[in-house]
Amino acid sequence: MGHGHHHHGHQHDHSHGHDHESESLPAAFDPSVPDEALTPEQQSRRSLLRRAGLLGAGLAAGGVLAQGAAAPAYASSATSGRRRNGFLWLSGDHHIHTQYSSDGKYRVGDQVRQGARHGLDWMVITDHGSETHAKIGVDKVNPDIKEAREKYEDTLVFQGLEWNIPGAEHGTVFVHPGNNEVSVLKAFETSYDGSVTGTSGSSPANEALAVAGLNFLAEQVQRRKVKDALMLANHPARRGVDSPHEIRGWRDATGSGRQIAVGFEGAPGHQAGGIATPLGMGRARGIYDNSPSADSFAGYPLESYRTWGGFDWMTATVGGLWDSLLAEGKPWWITANSDSHQVYTDTAVRGGPDSDFAANGRHTDPVYGGKIDLTQGDYWPGQYSRTHVGADGFSYAAVMDGIRAGRVWVDHGQLISGLDARVAGGSRWATLGGALHVKKGQNVTLTVDIALADGPNWAGFVPKLARVDVIQGDVTGAVADRDTFTAPTAKVVRSYEVNKSTGVVRLSYSLGAVDRPVYVRLRGTDGNRSATGLMGAAVDPAGPAVDVVGDADPWKDLWFYSNPVWVLPS
């Protein structure tokens, strides 16, 4: 099947060849650390954990997937506050810009401080690839990142860059911290960035250069220049230039070796972009207000250039491109990020007239205290979009391992506080990103525990989950046409109305006696905006509605999505 994340019984294999730096929890997670000993950012994070019921008595079961436990994942049990037999769910953002981007504004410390304040555990600094960044910025930003790592010790701060993918759109590339993080990123950007090498246009040669870049990163890991490297495609449908065969090419670039390209943004950043004027910039969520160009893939429909409930068309369409990738039985995951450049309602002004980005590789520091800016389309990291990763420890390696394994769910507007999904058959089970191997004809059940929001989000209200959908599709193997972007068997197989507003909701769905390979994934909504999906009511009777360009308040349309779990009978 090409799927390498096998789970036997209750024993999950996490031996990926990394030494985890630390198994101790951040201070905000540790109930032995008194409130008065915390920094303001740590106090903010602890407040979030308490509201979600994930601190103190509920931490081991609430913030961690208790392996093999029959009780709900968020059931209370006595604990010292450290991890017990499972995954620590860490929230993060892999797409953040600073003053080292030509269109950015903030210092690294500003973004990390705000991310920590908004509850994030890990972040990736991804300034734009460019000639200036390759020559100057990638070196200059590193001391700022190291300073942030020291100052915000409870936050994992990766150095990465936003790759101009040759022949395609943008992507996050980041590496495990270490002595060679700058040199590897610099060499990669110099040789493989589309802007630096003049290879941005769509052509077979440029597509081949992108694959070569991914193999370069894999080689750096193999040669132990860096411990690990990952790539995730950003805003993939925004301009229609990420063709299905290119996405499959990135996924398969490193063959049977360590996979470097592991997914794409299920939901882009710039989510405030659709707020109507005069209170907002009046464009589109994600700045998805484009039309096809000469470089766009001709097969994509016009609907693909818009977001749907804030999510990219590739992810939001049941039976669409993401499902066509999952139907091949190969890993390809989704994330959700801020793409934070300049923040909506912030008062900071970019550095003054002495700012010479071309010469210095950075803007001068922002000046605060100006007017509230309603013309920007971004939120702070963690303020609206979150990517939750199931890690087997609090470390850089554990986060990267969790992303590669697909132990990821995403949400907008703090719609829910926690998610535990697992499929079980006989004595075996698997969770997000995993594969359950059972005998043909084995009865299999999906069990989902959802911790509902228990406190106001950053817009000041308590979100209410209204409905959860189970989406299922057959695994049919490799496609003959690598530009395929439909999956005819994928559909919503069960919907659950949520009739409570606090606590934990447990849902159960029987897959029956499984006689063929399938996958299941989850989606949930506040119920404010729904419409028949693009593949018809028989496939998706109440999916996300297309976002209206110029008038799409993101806080009035909240969704969560999970990555899939496979069931593979034999």
Side-chain angles (χ1 to χ4, degrees):
M1 300 304 301
H3 194 286
H5 302 277
H6 297 173
H7 302 278
H8 301 281
H10 300 306
Q11 302 302 315
H12 290 242
D13 180 11
H14 304 298
S15 55
H16 298 285
H18 292 302
D19 293 323
H20 289 181
E21 299 87 332
S22 172
E23 292 299 328
S24 62
L25 290 172
F29 285 70
D30 190 345
S32 68
V33 179
D35 289 355
E36 56 268 22
L38 301 178
T39 66
E41 290 77 20
Q42 291 168 334
Q43 290 174 356
S44 177
R45 184 176 304 176
R46 177 168 286 185
S47 176
L48 286 173
L49 293 168
R50 281 182 173 142
R51 291 207 311 260
L54 303 182
L55 189 66
L59 178 61
V64 177
L65 282 176
Q67 295 185 26
Y74 298 94
S76 176
S77 62
T79 173
S80 65
R82 293 186 180 274
R83 179 170 58 86
R84 290 290 185 270
N85 300 321
F87 303 122
L88 183 67
W89 288 91
L90 302 176
S91 301
D93 186 322
H94 69 68
H95 192 177
I96 301 168
H97 294 267
T98 74
Q99 64 194 140
Y100 293 92
S101 287
S102 60
D103 53 355
K105 175 163 59 179
Y106 304 107
R107 296 167 295 187
V108 171
D110 297 332
Q111 293 284 35
V112 175
R113 182 181 72 254
Q114 289 289 350
R117 172 176 173 255
H118 289 93
L120 296 190
D121 305 293
W122 60 271
M123 286 172 261
V124 186
I125 301 301
T126 54
D127 290 303
H128 289 292
S130 66
E131 289 188 25
T132 301
H133 187 260
K135 292 178 181 178
I136 306 173
V138 70
D139 293 287
K140 279 192 171 183
V141 73
N142 185 255
D144 293 356
I145 290 174
K146 288 182 175 178
E147 181 180 352
R149 289 170 181 163
E150 291 293 324
K151 186 173 182 179
Y152 301 97
E153 60 184 14
D154 289 354
T155 305
L156 303 170
V157 186
F158 292 90
Q159 180 168 355
L161 56 85
E162 185 163 26
W163 183 27
N164 297 291
I165 306 172
E169 253 279 10
H170 299 166
T172 287
V173 168
F174 66 106
V175 299
H176 189 290
N179 293 333
N180 297 315
E181 60 185 326
V182 172
S183 62
V184 167
L185 288 170
K186 190 180 186 76
F188 171 80
E189 185 176 5
T190 300
S191 297
Y192 301 104
D193 185 85
S195 176
V196 176
T197 59
T199 55
S200 296
S202 294
S203 73
N206 292 348
E207 292 175 12
L209 184 64
V211 170
L214 295 169
N215 277 286
F216 168 83
L217 292 172
E219 182 183 357
Q220 303 313 298
V221 177
Q222 184 179 16
R223 294 173 59 192
R224 300 185 180 180
K225 293 290 187 180
V226 289
K227 284 187 176 182
D228 205 355
L230 287 173
M231 176 270 190
L232 297 114
N234 294 336
H235 36 75
R238 185 177 66 173
R239 296 191 297 118
V241 296
D242 288 359
S243 65
H245 73 263
E246 285 176 282
I247 294 171
R248 288 184 167 92
W250 306 332
R251 179 196 65 190
D252 300 338
T254 52
S256 59
R258 178 178 294 271
Q259 187 174 350
I260 300 298
V262 296
F264 51 37
E265 285 182 336
H270 305 311
Q271 287 286 330
I275 297 175
T277 57
L279 297 179
M281 68 188 307
R283 289 192 62 181
R285 294 179 74 172
I287 317 298
Y288 273 48
D289 52 7
N290 298 291
S291 300
S293 70
D295 285 328
S296 300
F297 176 67
Y300 288 150
L302 291 177
E303 292 90 347
S304 68
Y305 293 84
R306 302 292 179 261
T307 53
W308 297 73
F311 279 72
D312 187 282
W313 165 86
M314 295 183 183
T315 295
T317 304
V318 176
L321 195 149
W322 187 33
D323 282 313
S324 79
L325 296 169
L326 300 181
E328 294 185 83
K330 295 183 178 181
W332 192 256
W333 319 123
I334 62 165
T335 60
N337 303 286
S338 66
D339 198 358
S340 183
H341 289 70
Q342 303 192 54
V343 172
Y344 175 69
T345 72
D346 190 37
T347 64
V349 178
R350 185 184 284 159
D354 59 336
S355 183
D356 188 342
F357 185 86
N360 300 322
R362 65 189 289 274
H363 294 292
T364 55
D365 291 349
V367 178
Y368 288 84
K371 295 190 301 183
I372 292 176
D373 190 350
L374 300 178
T375 67
Q376 304 301 331
D378 304 342
Y379 290 113
W380 293 114
Q383 185 179 5
Y384 184 77
S385 304
R386 302 183 299 179
T387 295
H388 308 267
V389 177
D392 57 4
F394 186 78
S395 69
Y396 290 95
V399 169
M400 298 184 85
D401 286 347
I403 292 173
R404 178 175 282 109
R407 292 190 298 270
V408 174
W409 61 274
V410 304
D411 72 333
H412 279 164
Q414 299 87 57
L415 177 59
I416 60 175
S417 295
L419 175 69
D420 178 9
R422 63 183 70 191
V423 292
S427 61
R428 297 179 174 183
W429 63 269
T431 187
L432 302 181
L436 174 67
H437 292 260
V438 294
K439 291 182 178 180
K440 189 174 183 179
Q442 172 72 56
N443 286 309
V444 174
T445 301
L446 167 68
T447 303
V448 183
D449 290 309
I450 301 171
L452 302 175
D454 188 21
N457 58 20
W458 295 104
F461 66 91
V462 180
K464 296 189 183 301
L465 181 67
R467 191 184 75 245
V468 177
D469 300 322
V470 179
I471 298 162
Q472 180 175 323
D474 290 350
V475 178
T476 52
V479 293
D481 179 1
R482 287 174 69 84
D483 275 325
T484 296
F485 59 88
T486 60
T489 68
K491 64 179 180 178
V492 175
V493 293
R494 182 72 183 272
S495 293
Y496 298 85
E497 300 298 322
V498 177
N499 297 314
K500 60 186 298 186
S501 58
T502 61
V504 176
V505 173
R506 167 164 280 200
L507 309 173
S508 182
Y509 168 70
S510 174
L511 282 72
V514 178
D515 60 0
R516 67 193 187 283
V518 298
Y519 66 89
V520 289
R521 60 183 180 88
L522 299 167
R523 178 184 73 185
T525 174
D526 62 3
N528 286 336
R529 295 183 72 247
S530 294
T532 301
L534 288 173
M535 299 299 181
V539 172
D540 189 7
V546 65
D547 292 312
V548 178
V549 174
D551 188 11
D553 185 337
W555 297 97
K556 295 180 179 179
D557 190 11
L558 304 179
W559 294 77
F560 82 80
Y561 284 69
S562 82
N563 276 299
V565 189
W566 280 268
V567 181
L568 307 177
S570 60

